[in-house]
């Protein structure tokens, strides 16, 4: 068979509704992580009387807290999509992040994708067929079960073609 590499079928792309739900769920989880970190630091300050830490947090200002949120936001996607190929939102919606061959993207693509999320109005770009963070990083968000079935069928047909060629 001439083409032995699977190429993603764009009919598998997650819907705009799934993409929006992914965004909302991931936003909620990032917010929960931020609140948990703040609570943990508050408990440390209360238990151990870390007045210097409290004063540092008080003096951070809006820019400092925005930087903390950006670091948490990027770390969330570096970890979830870098390790699992899926954020928590994608686990819930049954979608997965892949490259054009339907495989988990390399970590460099995940980093590029995560930083691309910081582009203003990127949140709304997914309302088209692909978001900017997908286009820039050459990644796709697809339905996981449909992808697995299509890849399975592709390999079965490839085996059948190879068997027929040998005969």
């Amino acid at each position: 068979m001439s083409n032995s590499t699977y190429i993603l079928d764009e009919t598998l792309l997650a819907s705009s509704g799934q993409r929006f739900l992914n965004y909302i769920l991931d936003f909620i989880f990032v917010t929960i992580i931020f609140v948990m970190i703040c609570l943990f630091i508050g408990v440390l300050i209360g238990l151990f009387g870390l007045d210097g830490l409290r004063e540092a947090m008080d003096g951070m200002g809006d820019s400092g807290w925005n930087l903390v949120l950006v670091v948490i936001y990027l770390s969330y996607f570096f970890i979830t999509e870098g390790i699992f190929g899926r954020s928590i939102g994608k686990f819930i919606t049954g979608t997965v992040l892949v490259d054009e061959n339907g495989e988990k993207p390399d970590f460099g693509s995940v980093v590029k994708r995560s930083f691309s999320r910081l582009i203003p109005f990127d949140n709304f770009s997914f309302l088209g067929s692909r978001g900017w963070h997908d286009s820039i990083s050459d990644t796709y968000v697809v339905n996981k079960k449909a992808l697995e079935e299509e890849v399975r069928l592709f390999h079965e047909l490839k085996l059948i073609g190879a068997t027929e060629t040998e005969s």
Side-chain angles (χ1 to χ4, degrees):
M1 191 169 236
S2 62
N3 187 6
S4 61
T5 303
Y6 173 77
I7 302 295
L8 186 71
D9 180 354
E10 292 202 11
T11 61
L12 300 175
L13 291 177
S15 70
S16 293
Q18 286 174 310
R19 301 295 305 266
F20 182 68
L21 188 54
N22 287 344
Y23 170 73
I24 295 297
L25 291 169
D26 289 332
F27 179 81
I28 289 169
F29 283 106
V30 167
T31 302
I32 289 170
I33 292 167
F34 175 73
V35 169
M36 289 175 55
I37 290 171
C38 289
L39 286 173
F40 177 73
I41 292 172
V43 168
L44 287 179
I45 291 169
L47 287 176
F48 300 110
L50 303 173
D51 291 330
L53 180 57
R54 182 185 48 76
E55 290 170 13
M57 290 178 68
D58 286 344
M60 284 175 50
D62 289 344
S63 297
W65 286 110
N66 286 336
L67 181 61
V68 168
L69 277 171
V70 166
V71 168
I72 292 170
Y73 185 74
L74 291 174
S75 299
Y76 172 79
F77 287 107
F78 290 163
I79 293 168
T80 59
E81 291 182 345
I83 294 173
F84 305 109
R86 306 169 84 178
S87 63
I88 297 172
K90 289 177 188 67
F91 272 105
I92 293 170
T93 62
T95 56
V96 64
L97 176 67
V98 296
D99 63 13
E100 69 176 346
N101 300 118
E103 298 176 357
K104 182 178 149 191
D106 60 45
F107 192 71
S109 295
V110 171
V111 169
K112 190 184 299 185
R113 176 181 167 84
S114 298
F115 276 108
S116 298
R117 291 175 187 274
L118 300 177
I119 297 171
F121 304 108
D122 174 70
N123 324 13
F124 302 107
S125 68
F126 68 87
L127 295 174
S129 62
R130 287 177 66 202
W132 294 335
H133 56 273
D134 292 324
S135 300
I136 292 169
S137 63
D138 293 321
T139 58
Y140 302 81
V141 176
V142 299
N143 293 307
K144 187 175 189 304
K145 287 182 181 178
L147 174 68
E148 289 171 347
E149 180 64 17
E150 185 159 309
V151 169
R152 185 187 64 76
L153 288 172
F154 172 80
H155 289 296
E156 284 179 10
L157 290 174
K158 190 169 75 170
L159 283 175
I160 291 169
T163 306
E164 289 175 356
T165 306
E166 292 174 1
S167 311

